[in-house]
Amino acid sequence: MINHRINSISSSREVFEAAKGFYEDTLNRSGRPNSSLTYQDTPPSQGRKRNRKRRVIWFNPPFSVTVETDVGKRFLNLIRLHFPTNHPLHKIVNPNTVKISYSCMKNLERIIKGHNKKLLEQHVSPPDNGPAKTCNCQSTERIPCPLKGACLQKEVVYLAKLRSGENEEHHYVGMTATTFKKRLYNHTSSFRHEEHRGDTKLSDKVWDRKEKGLPWSIDWGIIRKGHAYRVGQSSCDLCTSEKLEIINRSKDPRLLNSRTEILAKCRHRAKFLL
């Protein structure tokens, strides 16, 4: 280690030979007799290679299935024609620095319809059909409404608290675009039929409690509202809201949701596909 250190700080063999005597005497006095230091030629350091990011200029023409012309090929040919190698701007504008990527934008018809709908909603008041119904449960003292009279809410993110025993508690975050009551029917079905045990992490945990003969109960609650994907939107607010709630609770050891649910694709787009 000492030999390597002195080699690294010596600019030449002469400097090394002039300095090594002091270190060899010190090593001999320290109980390491016959210590000999030798000079080693080290290649010059290459230094860290700079990792530069190439500056890219993007050309984004709108995409249309009715266009048969190869727009990208013609555009790059124009770049080569008007910016040859002897052009002063060739280093900036050339086929390696200019890339093409089609952009899928809304067509004019959709833009006009969306604008008209927005204006009409401001001036046309919805028909007054009385207060909207929020619950249709035949509530009894034995089976009350799971959301205390609000089970018909749509497009919500909910939280289920699974309690088993005195201190054990687990949380599950879910969402539904339909009424909460329809989603609750699917949950309760997976609690009754073992073939649906793997439908959700919540149902798997419930069956684990049942196999061990432990009592369990679930409290339901709405934690966030949103709207499901609609045609023309870039993202689904409901799915994003559910993922945000899972991320906010990711450090909670009681959470049953897995991290892979954050990467799941939106399931509400499927009905709009051709």
Side-chain angles (χ1 to χ4, degrees):
M1 180 181 294
I2 296 176
N3 190 79
H4 175 74
R5 172 62 179 166
I6 301 175
N7 272 279
S8 63
I9 63 177
S10 299
S11 59
S12 64
R13 181 182 293 273
E14 289 75 16
V15 175
F16 178 85
E17 295 293 340
K20 76 172 186 177
F22 171 77
Y23 293 97
E24 289 178 344
D25 293 341
T26 304
L27 289 172
N28 291 330
R29 290 197 303 268
S30 301
R32 301 188 63 178
N34 301 324
S35 297
S36 178
L37 304 178
T38 57
Y39 180 75
Q40 299 174 351
D41 291 324
T42 56
S45 177
Q46 298 291 335
R48 289 190 63 182
K49 186 178 179 180
R50 296 183 64 182
N51 189 13
R52 295 183 179 179
K53 291 185 178 181
R54 186 172 59 184
R55 295 182 179 179
V56 178
I57 302 173
W58 287 96
F59 172 56
N60 301 106
F63 175 79
S64 177
V65 293
T66 59
V67 177
E68 297 182 357
T69 305
D70 193 343
V71 178
K73 182 178 179 180
R74 292 200 176 188
F75 175 75
L76 293 178
N77 287 337
L78 290 173
I79 293 292
R80 297 186 183 96
L81 175 63
H82 296 285
F83 296 91
T85 55
N86 58 351
H87 196 279
L89 296 178
H90 176 75
K91 289 185 178 180
I92 301 175
V93 183
N94 61 72
N96 293 326
T97 59
V98 179
K99 302 297 180 182
I100 182 171
S101 176
Y102 292 102
S103 64
C104 299
M105 301 185 298
K106 299 178 182 178
N107 57 35
L108 190 59
E109 180 183 4
R110 185 181 299 177
I111 294 174
I112 295 174
K113 285 185 177 180
H115 179 69
N116 292 341
K117 182 179 179 182
K118 183 178 179 180
L119 294 179
L120 290 174
E121 287 177 350
Q122 297 176 355
H123 300 282
V124 179
S125 58
D128 187 10
N129 296 325
K133 197 173 184 180
T134 59
C135 178
N136 61 357
C137 293
Q138 303 297 322
S139 299
T140 62
E141 294 182 359
R142 188 174 66 88
I143 307 177
C145 176
L147 289 182
K148 300 178 181 181
C151 61
L152 294 182
Q153 294 186 72
K154 294 183 178 180
E155 299 183 335
V156 295
V157 179
Y158 58 88
L159 177 68
K161 295 181 179 180
L162 172 62
R163 293 187 172 89
S164 177
E166 295 181 358
N167 299 322
E168 187 174 1
E169 182 174 310
H170 298 279
H171 294 174
Y172 176 81
V173 177
M175 59 87 186
T176 177
T178 60
T179 61
F180 172 80
K181 195 166 188 177
K182 288 184 178 180
R183 184 70 184 101
L184 181 63
Y185 287 156
N186 293 334
H187 277 300
T188 54
S189 176
S190 64
F191 300 158
R192 293 193 305 269
H193 306 289
E194 192 172 3
E195 60 268 21
H196 297 294
R197 173 175 181 165
D199 287 358
T200 62
K201 294 289 185 179
L202 179 62
S203 59
D204 185 58
K205 198 68 178 180
V206 168
W207 277 99
D208 181 64
R209 303 292 93 186
K210 293 172 70 173
E211 289 175 351
K212 294 180 180 179
L214 299 175
W216 58 275
S217 62
I218 299 179
D219 293 333
W220 305 90
I222 302 299
I223 55 178
R224 188 183 285 263
K225 294 184 179 182
H227 57 268
Y229 174 81
R230 294 176 177 83
V231 177
Q233 293 181 339
S234 59
S235 61
C236 177
D237 177 63
L238 190 60
C239 292
T240 305
S241 299
E242 181 198 28
K243 294 174 183 178
L244 180 61
E245 291 295 335
I246 294 175
I247 293 173
N248 291 337
R249 292 173 168 80
S250 59
K251 295 184 180 180
D252 189 349
R254 300 173 298 178
L255 187 67
L256 295 175
N257 300 79
S258 61
R259 292 186 177 181
T260 55
E261 295 183 39
I262 301 174
L263 305 177
K265 293 183 178 180
C266 173
R267 67 190 66 177
H268 307 116
R269 291 174 177 257
K271 64 181 179 181
F272 297 106
L273 299 177
L274 298 177

